[in-house]
Amino acid sequence: MLKFVQIACLSTALLAPALAVAQDFDDVVITVHPVAGNVSYMEGQGGNIGLFVGEDGVFLIDDQYAPLTGRIVDAIRDISDAPIRFLVNTHMHPDHTGGNENFGEMGTTIFGHDNVRTQMEIAGYAQEPPLITFNDELSFHINGETVHVFKVPDAHTNGDVFIRFMGSNVVHTGDVYRTTTFPFIDLNNGGSFIGTIDALNLLLAVSDEQTKIIPGHGVISNIAEVAAWRDMLVTIRDRVAAAIRDGMSLEEIQGAGLTAEYDERWAASGRIGGSASMLAAVYADLAGD
Ligand SMILES: [Zn+2]
């Protein structure tokens, strides 16, 4: 039985020892969920994997953890025998990039924002960073449609991109948006709470009521749900701003129950997706820490 160390959405090697969790991947099953057209997402352990198949080849978004690569490939092969040509990393975190080396060895070309490669190198991650990087946007013209990859304001990290399937009307958001918890703002890798609100507004601007939205974690969503989540973040931002004007410290803000009515639905118990860490990110943006 193989045991690996999972560092879910962590940022620095400094913080890793306290939060690293020994993880057993043996029981993880990869499930493919059809979304629209030839776009699906795969659920396993870690971030949702985008899957787009067609005669030109297989296009992937993120790749979870290295021990899962074989099962991920098996799940793809149930759908398509075409070569796995391209893979885009939505951001740097290990639960989205852990399979990079394996896919690279299979001949898949891996893309990511410039900051994904930079931050992975700074963090000293063992995973292979993207082979090809870009600074703003990138378009793939495959399988009968255009796939537009574009940098969004610094949000979850400073390397977040959205991937928009123009024909199938699907957007993969990476971890800027999740349907599971509060946002996690990785301040050590350039994340921003205010930037998250800006990025969600951008997501709403490029989507319509039919758009299927694949979050980094969670289930298929839509603009109504994104707008409600964005509104919650705006409310929290305004409450923290008022508390700072009242002279409250971060510790006082974290103890003031500012997210109380949202906590049952959205607060994770730990740092990732938790209320206190999110409030620290809001405070960092607004108080200039
Ligand atoms: Zn992440």
Side-chain angles (χ1 to χ4, degrees), residues 9 91 93 95-96 156 175 178 217:
C9 279
H91 64 291
H93 286 148
D95 58 324
H96 299 256
H156 179 63
D175 283 1
R178 55 180 70 205
H217 298 268

Side-chain angles (χ1 to χ4, degrees), residues 8-10 47 62 90-96 156-157 160 174-176 178 184 186 216-217 272:
C9 279
L10 283 192
D62 290 342
T90 57
H91 64 291
M92 62 170 304
H93 286 148
D95 58 324
H96 299 256
H156 179 63
T157 68
D160 303 310
D175 283 1
V176 175
R178 55 180 70 205
F184 172 58
D186 186 349
H217 298 268
I272 295 166

